[in-house]
Structure formats: C-alpha cells, structure tokens
Amino acid sequence: MADPTAGPLAGVTVVALEQAVSAPMCTRALADFGARVIKIENPRGGDFARDYDDVVNGLAAHFVWVNRGKESVALNLKDPEGQAVLHRLLESADVFVSNLAPGATAALGLAADDLTVRHPDVIAMEIDGYGPGGPLSHKRAYDLLIQAESGVCAVTGFPDAPAKPGPPIADVCSGLYAALTIVAMICGRRAPGRSATKSASAAVSLFDTAAELMGYALNYTRHTGIDQQPLGMSSPAVAPYGAYPTGDGRTVVLGTTNDREWQRLARDILDRSDLADDPRFTTNAGRVRHRAELDATIAQWCARHDLATVQLCADAAGIGNSRYNTPTDVIAHPHLSARRRWRPIETPAGPVPALLPPPVIAGYEPPMGAIPALGQHTETVLAAAGFSADDIARLRDRGAIGPGTDQPVR
C-alpha cells in the first residue's frame, strides 16, 4: 500500500527567504504536496506578517494561513557567517524561493545569476512586484498597490466606489503561479533526456499576474475602446447575473451564462413567456444592454419568496444559484463540515482549525504540518546540515543565527 504521507514532492527541499503572502503561499503549496520547506527568518522579528495582528490565540491570521508545515531557521544575513549558513543549506536544496524588496537578493549575492554559478542545481524562483526592465521595476509592491496599478480595482465595486477585492488575489495568484512553475521545472528536470538542459531560474511578478487576471477586461477594452464599469456583485459580460434580496431578508445569487439558461429562468421560474419571447432578450448581448429591466423584474420575483424557495425553484430549473454568505456563515458552512475540510493544525499557541488545501489527490493525505515559532528549527536544521554543537553555539554567540525558542533575542 502506498504511503499516504509521501506526497508527490516528497524528497524535494525548498529554502525560502520570504515575507507576507506571495512567496509563503508558494512554499505552503509545495509543502502541501509533500516538499520540505525551510523558512529563513530574521532573528529580530522574523517574517513581518507574524505581527500583522494577534487574533489566532496570539498569532497573526495571515501568518497562520500561509505558513503551516514549514521549518523556521533564524539567520542574520547581514553577518557573513549567517550568509555562509544559508549557502550551506542551499547545497542540499532543490529550490530557492524569495520575494524580498527590489535589489535585496542581489545585495545578498542571492540573485538568480549568483545562484546559477554557486548552486547550479537549485531552481531559483524570485517573486517580485513589477519584473525587471520596466519603469516601475524599482518600486515596492503590495497587493493593494498592484491591484490598483493593474486595473483590478477599476473593475471591482461600483462606478462611484471602486474597490479592492477582499482576498489578496495578486499575492495569492502570484504564489500559485510560482508554485506551478517550480513543479513544471522539477518535472522538466526529471523527464528523460532533459538532464543536460536544466533550467536554473524563473521569476513571477505580481503586476504580470494581476494583468493576466484582467484578461477579459483588457481584451474587451482593447477591441471596443470601452472601459466597462464595475457592477458590484454582477458581471459586465453576462446578464442576468447578480445578487437579489429575498423575502426573508437574505440574498440569493442567480446567474445565467447562455441563452438556454435564460429561457428556463424566464419561463420556468419567473413564469414570463413574454420575456422569453421578447427579441430584446433572446441573446446575451441584448440582455446585457437591457440589464436594468431584467434585474428589476428578477428582484421583484425574489422579494416575494424566501431564500429556500428561490433556491429550490432555481435548482429545479437548472439555474445556477448560491447564498450570499459572510465569513461567519462560511466557518459553519455545512458543505465544509460534511466533507471534513476543516482539520486541526499545531501552532506555538496550541491547535487551531485550518482548511485542507484545495487539491484532492487519491491516496494522499496532506500533512497539515505545524506553524513554526520563530527560529524553532534552527538547531535541528543546522545539525542535519553538518554543523556541530560547538559550531551552532559559536554562530549563536556572534549573532549569526537566532536564539533557541527558549532563549530571548539579545
């Protein structure tokens, strides 16, 4: 029987010099697939996302979200011996992931070109803000800034109230693109006949990722000259498609994506054959032009029925529908509970619930590893890399590595 704990990336070692969300999401995805992830942190505070808040039993919600299953090693990379320790770890690593400020990896001698020379077998993945070679390459980049710069905020919210999507989509999607790229490069190296042409480095920028997510909007505007206005919980691409209050004070979301669905919505739910036969509404383009009239009609029907009735009618007619839920609703969502999507993970503050990663691989149970304390694994990782107890004590005395988890930072 296959070992359920041996993921598809078992045996792959990742060293990460990471902060905030994008690179930690990348490496968490790799850890979810069974890779070993060694997270390098500054002894004085570590990943700054550790201090965003303290709502998870004293830990930060962002940090707990994207850092499970990692080993934390506290290294002072301003000290030459701290840098030497990092290079020692890279000697036995397969992947190096970073997302520091512009120029920071180069200043540390850890840019892709440097690593290609010193560690040619290591896949170097750098996640940055804007990518090299452009007028914005030097700028710092955070999720909100990237979403604004790439146009995402202009297609979110309402015309008089643009908004940033709640989840940090530029960060998250960049991290997932980076993880996908790393997996592709690993597969390429393992393919027959590829060993002589190893790709050593890759990069993903938040701006390029956000621009990719804007694909529909950019194509539409390029070929029409029109900047579509945001429609809140609707879509400029299809109609009817949106959120409607129900008679019991809830909100239902109904969507049609083709002409056949519209016919069923009009005839089977609204009981409005006149609308189904109206030539203004027979095509999606026509329905988009007359969106306001359709929305008003659907809203009137929904307001006369409770949420359960609306959803039963929509299901019977084969019309996509859902409830508008708050985070509180989702935490208690019966679909997550029934499928056992919540699992406990260990943290320095005790066990907390966490969602399983989205991929479901037959025969493999994601490890759902612990959230590391700052520097928690420094001694064990260094010992495994060949450092003696005396070496570790000397490095600690000179401040090249952080204190043990039971020692204060000096």
PDB file of all heavy atoms in Angstrom, residues 157-180:
ATOM      1  N   GLY A 157     -16.258  46.691  -7.424  1.00  0.00           N
ATOM      2  CA  GLY A 157     -17.031  47.702  -6.707  1.00  0.00           C
ATOM      3  C   GLY A 157     -18.110  48.290  -7.589  1.00  0.00           C
ATOM      4  O   GLY A 157     -18.799  47.579  -8.318  1.00  0.00           O
ATOM      5  N   PHE A 158     -18.237  49.614  -7.559  1.00  0.00           N
ATOM      6  CA  PHE A 158     -19.239  50.326  -8.334  1.00  0.00           C
ATOM      7  C   PHE A 158     -18.571  51.525  -9.013  1.00  0.00           C
ATOM      8  O   PHE A 158     -17.484  51.953  -8.600  1.00  0.00           O
ATOM      9  CB  PHE A 158     -20.388  50.784  -7.438  1.00  0.00           C
ATOM     10  CG  PHE A 158     -21.181  49.643  -6.861  1.00  0.00           C
ATOM     11  CD1 PHE A 158     -20.853  49.114  -5.619  1.00  0.00           C
ATOM     12  CD2 PHE A 158     -22.235  49.083  -7.569  1.00  0.00           C
ATOM     13  CE1 PHE A 158     -21.569  48.056  -5.087  1.00  0.00           C
ATOM     14  CE2 PHE A 158     -22.958  48.022  -7.050  1.00  0.00           C
ATOM     15  CZ  PHE A 158     -22.622  47.498  -5.810  1.00  0.00           C
ATOM     16  N   PRO A 159     -19.211  52.107 -10.051  1.00  0.00           N
ATOM     17  CA  PRO A 159     -18.571  53.212 -10.767  1.00  0.00           C
ATOM     18  C   PRO A 159     -18.121  54.362  -9.877  1.00  0.00           C
ATOM     19  O   PRO A 159     -17.083  54.966 -10.109  1.00  0.00           O
ATOM     20  CB  PRO A 159     -19.664  53.659 -11.752  1.00  0.00           C
ATOM     21  CG  PRO A 159     -20.449  52.416 -12.011  1.00  0.00           C
ATOM     22  CD  PRO A 159     -20.473  51.695 -10.695  1.00  0.00           C
ATOM     23  N   ASP A 160     -18.890  54.673  -8.847  1.00  0.00           N
ATOM     24  CA  ASP A 160     -18.523  55.775  -7.968  1.00  0.00           C
ATOM     25  C   ASP A 160     -17.808  55.298  -6.710  1.00  0.00           C
ATOM     26  O   ASP A 160     -17.518  56.086  -5.816  1.00  0.00           O
ATOM     27  CB  ASP A 160     -19.754  56.584  -7.576  1.00  0.00           C
ATOM     28  CG  ASP A 160     -20.822  55.727  -6.885  1.00  0.00           C
ATOM     29  OD1 ASP A 160     -20.703  54.486  -6.948  1.00  0.00           O
ATOM     30  OD2 ASP A 160     -21.752  56.300  -6.294  1.00  0.00           O
ATOM     31  N   ALA A 161     -17.531  53.999  -6.639  1.00  0.00           N
ATOM     32  CA  ALA A 161     -16.879  53.453  -5.446  1.00  0.00           C
ATOM     33  C   ALA A 161     -16.038  52.240  -5.827  1.00  0.00           C
ATOM     34  O   ALA A 161     -16.403  51.095  -5.548  1.00  0.00           O
ATOM     35  CB  ALA A 161     -17.921  53.071  -4.400  1.00  0.00           C
ATOM     36  N   PRO A 162     -14.891  52.483  -6.498  1.00  0.00           N
ATOM     37  CA  PRO A 162     -14.019  51.347  -6.834  1.00  0.00           C
ATOM     38  C   PRO A 162     -13.525  50.667  -5.569  1.00  0.00           C
ATOM     39  O   PRO A 162     -13.460  51.284  -4.499  1.00  0.00           O
ATOM     40  CB  PRO A 162     -12.871  51.999  -7.616  1.00  0.00           C
ATOM     41  CG  PRO A 162     -12.866  53.425  -7.177  1.00  0.00           C
ATOM     42  CD  PRO A 162     -14.305  53.771  -6.897  1.00  0.00           C
ATOM     43  N   ALA A 163     -13.166  49.405  -5.688  1.00  0.00           N
ATOM     44  CA  ALA A 163     -12.781  48.641  -4.502  1.00  0.00           C
ATOM     45  C   ALA A 163     -11.690  47.638  -4.842  1.00  0.00           C
ATOM     46  O   ALA A 163     -11.526  47.241  -5.998  1.00  0.00           O
ATOM     47  CB  ALA A 163     -13.993  47.905  -3.928  1.00  0.00           C
ATOM     48  N   LYS A 164     -10.964  47.253  -3.815  1.00  0.00           N
ATOM     49  CA  LYS A 164     -10.030  46.145  -3.932  1.00  0.00           C
ATOM     50  C   LYS A 164     -10.771  44.866  -3.576  1.00  0.00           C
ATOM     51  O   LYS A 164     -11.442  44.818  -2.559  1.00  0.00           O
ATOM     52  CB  LYS A 164      -8.848  46.323  -2.976  1.00  0.00           C
ATOM     53  CG  LYS A 164      -7.817  45.199  -3.069  1.00  0.00           C
ATOM     54  CD  LYS A 164      -6.798  45.278  -1.950  1.00  0.00           C
ATOM     55  CE  LYS A 164      -7.232  44.511  -0.731  1.00  0.00           C
ATOM     56  NZ  LYS A 164      -7.299  43.041  -0.940  1.00  0.00           N
ATOM     57  N   PRO A 165     -10.675  43.818  -4.391  1.00  0.00           N
ATOM     58  CA  PRO A 165     -11.243  42.537  -3.942  1.00  0.00           C
ATOM     59  C   PRO A 165     -10.695  42.169  -2.571  1.00  0.00           C
ATOM     60  O   PRO A 165      -9.516  42.392  -2.282  1.00  0.00           O
ATOM     61  CB  PRO A 165     -10.769  41.554  -5.018  1.00  0.00           C
ATOM     62  CG  PRO A 165     -10.574  42.403  -6.243  1.00  0.00           C
ATOM     63  CD  PRO A 165     -10.093  43.727  -5.726  1.00  0.00           C
ATOM     64  N   GLY A 166     -11.552  41.618  -1.711  1.00  0.00           N
ATOM     65  CA  GLY A 166     -11.137  41.331  -0.339  1.00  0.00           C
ATOM     66  C   GLY A 166      -9.909  40.455  -0.232  1.00  0.00           C
ATOM     67  O   GLY A 166      -8.917  40.838   0.401  1.00  0.00           O
ATOM     68  N   PRO A 167      -9.911  39.254  -0.820  1.00  0.00           N
ATOM     69  CA  PRO A 167      -8.707  38.422  -0.748  1.00  0.00           C
ATOM     70  C   PRO A 167      -7.548  39.071  -1.508  1.00  0.00           C
ATOM     71  O   PRO A 167      -7.767  39.756  -2.514  1.00  0.00           O
ATOM     72  CB  PRO A 167      -9.145  37.117  -1.433  1.00  0.00           C
ATOM     73  CG  PRO A 167     -10.639  37.121  -1.354  1.00  0.00           C
ATOM     74  CD  PRO A 167     -11.041  38.562  -1.450  1.00  0.00           C
ATOM     75  N   PRO A 168      -6.315  38.856  -1.062  1.00  0.00           N
ATOM     76  CA  PRO A 168      -5.155  39.445  -1.750  1.00  0.00           C
ATOM     77  C   PRO A 168      -4.830  38.657  -3.014  1.00  0.00           C
ATOM     78  O   PRO A 168      -3.868  37.872  -3.075  1.00  0.00           O
ATOM     79  CB  PRO A 168      -4.044  39.339  -0.702  1.00  0.00           C
ATOM     80  CG  PRO A 168      -4.406  38.132   0.107  1.00  0.00           C
ATOM     81  CD  PRO A 168      -5.917  38.132   0.169  1.00  0.00           C
ATOM     82  N   ILE A 169      -5.619  38.866  -4.059  1.00  0.00           N
ATOM     83  CA  ILE A 169      -5.549  37.991  -5.220  1.00  0.00           C
ATOM     84  C   ILE A 169      -4.230  38.109  -5.981  1.00  0.00           C
ATOM     85  O   ILE A 169      -3.774  37.129  -6.568  1.00  0.00           O
ATOM     86  CB  ILE A 169      -6.735  38.218  -6.167  1.00  0.00           C
ATOM     87  CG1 ILE A 169      -6.769  39.657  -6.682  1.00  0.00           C
ATOM     88  CG2 ILE A 169      -8.037  37.868  -5.481  1.00  0.00           C
ATOM     89  CD1 ILE A 169      -7.817  39.867  -7.768  1.00  0.00           C
ATOM     90  N   ALA A 170      -3.608  39.291  -6.004  1.00  0.00           N
ATOM     91  CA  ALA A 170      -2.322  39.417  -6.695  1.00  0.00           C
ATOM     92  C   ALA A 170      -1.262  38.593  -5.980  1.00  0.00           C
ATOM     93  O   ALA A 170      -0.459  37.878  -6.608  1.00  0.00           O
ATOM     94  CB  ALA A 170      -1.902  40.881  -6.776  1.00  0.00           C
ATOM     95  N   ASP A 171      -1.235  38.676  -4.659  1.00  0.00           N
ATOM     96  CA  ASP A 171      -0.291  37.887  -3.871  1.00  0.00           C
ATOM     97  C   ASP A 171      -0.538  36.387  -4.028  1.00  0.00           C
ATOM     98  O   ASP A 171       0.374  35.607  -4.302  1.00  0.00           O
ATOM     99  CB  ASP A 171      -0.412  38.242  -2.386  1.00  0.00           C
ATOM    100  CG  ASP A 171       0.355  39.503  -2.013  1.00  0.00           C
ATOM    101  OD1 ASP A 171       1.320  39.829  -2.715  1.00  0.00           O
ATOM    102  OD2 ASP A 171      -0.011  40.134  -1.017  1.00  0.00           O
ATOM    103  N   VAL A 172      -1.786  35.985  -3.818  1.00  0.00           N
ATOM    104  CA  VAL A 172      -2.108  34.556  -3.813  1.00  0.00           C
ATOM    105  C   VAL A 172      -1.859  33.942  -5.187  1.00  0.00           C
ATOM    106  O   VAL A 172      -1.220  32.887  -5.308  1.00  0.00           O
ATOM    107  CB  VAL A 172      -3.564  34.331  -3.376  1.00  0.00           C
ATOM    108  CG1 VAL A 172      -3.977  32.877  -3.604  1.00  0.00           C
ATOM    109  CG2 VAL A 172      -3.732  34.699  -1.908  1.00  0.00           C
ATOM    110  N   CYS A 173      -2.367  34.583  -6.228  1.00  0.00           N
ATOM    111  CA  CYS A 173      -2.214  34.004  -7.563  1.00  0.00           C
ATOM    112  C   CYS A 173      -0.753  34.021  -8.016  1.00  0.00           C
ATOM    113  O   CYS A 173      -0.320  33.095  -8.718  1.00  0.00           O
ATOM    114  CB  CYS A 173      -3.101  34.738  -8.557  1.00  0.00           C
ATOM    115  SG  CYS A 173      -4.867  34.474  -8.262  1.00  0.00           S
ATOM    116  N   SER A 174       0.009  35.026  -7.625  1.00  0.00           N
ATOM    117  CA  SER A 174       1.438  35.022  -7.946  1.00  0.00           C
ATOM    118  C   SER A 174       2.131  33.858  -7.256  1.00  0.00           C
ATOM    119  O   SER A 174       2.976  33.172  -7.850  1.00  0.00           O
ATOM    120  CB  SER A 174       2.088  36.345  -7.521  1.00  0.00           C
ATOM    121  OG  SER A 174       1.584  37.419  -8.272  1.00  0.00           O
ATOM    122  N   GLY A 175       1.778  33.617  -5.983  1.00  0.00           N
ATOM    123  CA  GLY A 175       2.362  32.492  -5.282  1.00  0.00           C
ATOM    124  C   GLY A 175       2.015  31.171  -5.935  1.00  0.00           C
ATOM    125  O   GLY A 175       2.870  30.279  -6.064  1.00  0.00           O
ATOM    126  N   LEU A 176       0.769  31.021  -6.372  1.00  0.00           N
ATOM    127  CA  LEU A 176       0.363  29.767  -7.006  1.00  0.00           C
ATOM    128  C   LEU A 176       0.996  29.616  -8.385  1.00  0.00           C
ATOM    129  O   LEU A 176       1.378  28.502  -8.784  1.00  0.00           O
ATOM    130  CB  LEU A 176      -1.156  29.693  -7.086  1.00  0.00           C
ATOM    131  CG  LEU A 176      -1.866  29.652  -5.728  1.00  0.00           C
ATOM    132  CD1 LEU A 176      -3.378  29.628  -5.913  1.00  0.00           C
ATOM    133  CD2 LEU A 176      -1.413  28.442  -4.908  1.00  0.00           C
ATOM    134  N   TYR A 177       1.117  30.705  -9.157  1.00  0.00           N
ATOM    135  CA  TYR A 177       1.838  30.634 -10.434  1.00  0.00           C
ATOM    136  C   TYR A 177       3.290  30.232 -10.196  1.00  0.00           C
ATOM    137  O   TYR A 177       3.868  29.438 -10.957  1.00  0.00           O
ATOM    138  CB  TYR A 177       1.796  31.981 -11.161  1.00  0.00           C
ATOM    139  CG  TYR A 177       0.701  32.098 -12.194  1.00  0.00           C
ATOM    140  CD1 TYR A 177      -0.313  33.035 -12.053  1.00  0.00           C
ATOM    141  CD2 TYR A 177       0.682  31.279 -13.311  1.00  0.00           C
ATOM    142  CE1 TYR A 177      -1.318  33.153 -12.990  1.00  0.00           C
ATOM    143  CE2 TYR A 177      -0.316  31.397 -14.269  1.00  0.00           C
ATOM    144  CZ  TYR A 177      -1.314  32.330 -14.105  1.00  0.00           C
ATOM    145  OH  TYR A 177      -2.314  32.444 -15.048  1.00  0.00           O
ATOM    146  N   ALA A 178       3.889  30.770  -9.136  1.00  0.00           N
ATOM    147  CA  ALA A 178       5.275  30.422  -8.834  1.00  0.00           C
ATOM    148  C   ALA A 178       5.401  28.939  -8.488  1.00  0.00           C
ATOM    149  O   ALA A 178       6.315  28.248  -8.945  1.00  0.00           O
ATOM    150  CB  ALA A 178       5.798  31.285  -7.691  1.00  0.00           C
ATOM    151  N   ALA A 179       4.463  28.440  -7.670  1.00  0.00           N
ATOM    152  CA  ALA A 179       4.492  27.022  -7.317  1.00  0.00           C
ATOM    153  C   ALA A 179       4.308  26.151  -8.552  1.00  0.00           C
ATOM    154  O   ALA A 179       4.996  25.131  -8.723  1.00  0.00           O
ATOM    155  CB  ALA A 179       3.412  26.720  -6.281  1.00  0.00           C
ATOM    156  N   LEU A 180       3.376  26.527  -9.428  1.00  0.00           N
ATOM    157  CA  LEU A 180       3.160  25.775 -10.662  1.00  0.00           C
ATOM    158  C   LEU A 180       4.421  25.762 -11.520  1.00  0.00           C
ATOM    159  O   LEU A 180       4.797  24.727 -12.092  1.00  0.00           O
ATOM    160  CB  LEU A 180       1.991  26.391 -11.440  1.00  0.00           C
ATOM    161  CG  LEU A 180       1.704  25.826 -12.831  1.00  0.00           C
ATOM    162  CD1 LEU A 180       1.327  24.357 -12.738  1.00  0.00           C
ATOM    163  CD2 LEU A 180       0.599  26.616 -13.510  1.00  0.00           C
TER     164      LEU A 180
END
